[in-house]
């Protein structure tokens, strides 16, 4: 009876304990930001019979800046692409091949940008035109996902 119970427990742990997680690995950080970076390209208009175009994970550099608003950047027309950021860079991290990243940061509010060659990408704003803000609280890892959609059409 004990042997059968052991086999059942072992099988359960093998099947469910090795299941890959969809959550970003925090890399043992206890405070900062963790998430995934994906990219969406091409025509996003729904078409009958066409498969859904899904974001794919990308390995890119994520740049963490002091809180930045639209008056502190040089923007390419009205796009989510920037040529310069005129606030202090705090940190940077490279996402892995699954798009996962984690970065330890002190408590505070930050603007996040993705490096794209000589350009920067960020596509969210608050009501005061602050760009892609995220807040880190003491002893917490803040989840934050980014989808680069500069190559997508809608």
């Amino acid at each position: 009876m004990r042997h059968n119970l052991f086999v059942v427990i072992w099988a359960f742990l093998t099947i469910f304990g090795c299941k890959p997680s969809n959550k970003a690995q925090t890399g043992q950080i206890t405070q900062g930001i963790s998430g995934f970076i994906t990219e969406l390209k091409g025509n996003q208009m729904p078409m009958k019979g066409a498969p859904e175009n899904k974001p794919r994970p990308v390995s890119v550099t994520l740049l963490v800046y002091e809180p930045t608003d639209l008056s502190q950047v040089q923007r390419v027309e009205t796009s989510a692409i920037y040529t310069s950021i005129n606030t202090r860079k705090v940190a940077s991290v490279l996402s892995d091949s699954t798009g996962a990243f984690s970065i330890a940061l002190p408590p505070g509010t930050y603007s996040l940008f993705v490096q794209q060659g000589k350009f920067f990408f960020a596509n969210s704003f608050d009501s005061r035109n602050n760009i892609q803000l995220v807040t880190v609280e003491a002893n917490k890892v803040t989840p934050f996902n980014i989808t680069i959609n500069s190559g997508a059409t809608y």
Side-chain angles (χ1 to χ4, degrees), residues 7-18:
V7 170
V8 169
I9 291 172
W10 177 81
F12 179 83
L13 291 175
T14 301
I15 292 169
F16 294 104
C18 296

Side-chain angles (χ1 to χ4, degrees), residues 56-71:
R56 64 176 182 81
V58 289
S59 177
V60 293
T61 300
L62 177 69
L63 305 168
V64 181
Y65 278 80
E66 292 176 334
T68 306
D69 67 38
L70 285 176
S71 71

Side-chain angles (χ1 to χ4, degrees), residues 78-148:
T78 59
S79 72
I81 305 292
Y82 306 92
T83 57
S84 68
I85 304 166
N86 300 313
T87 55
R88 187 176 66 85
K89 183 171 80 169
V90 176
S92 64
V93 65
L94 181 66
S95 60
D96 68 16
S97 63
T98 68
F101 72 91
S102 62
I103 186 165
L105 293 165
T109 302
Y110 304 95
S111 285
L112 303 181
F113 295 87
V114 173
Q115 182 82 49
Q116 290 189 303
K118 62 180 182 174
F119 298 102
F120 310 95
F121 172 84
N123 65 349
S124 67
F125 310 90
D126 68 9
S127 62
R128 294 183 176 176
N129 286 327
N130 291 303
I131 303 169
Q132 205 149 257
L133 288 182
V134 61
T135 300
V136 174
E137 296 178 24
N139 303 311
K140 291 187 179 180
V141 176
T142 303
F144 198 89
N145 296 324
I146 297 172
T147 299
I148 303 166

Side-chain angles (χ1 to χ4, degrees), residues 32-53:
I33 305 167
S34 181
F36 288 93
I37 302 174
T38 56
E39 185 172 40
L40 191 59
K41 290 183 174 183
N43 185 355
Q44 300 304 305
M45 294 299 291
M47 293 184 286
K48 189 174 184 178
E52 182 182 351
N53 192 0

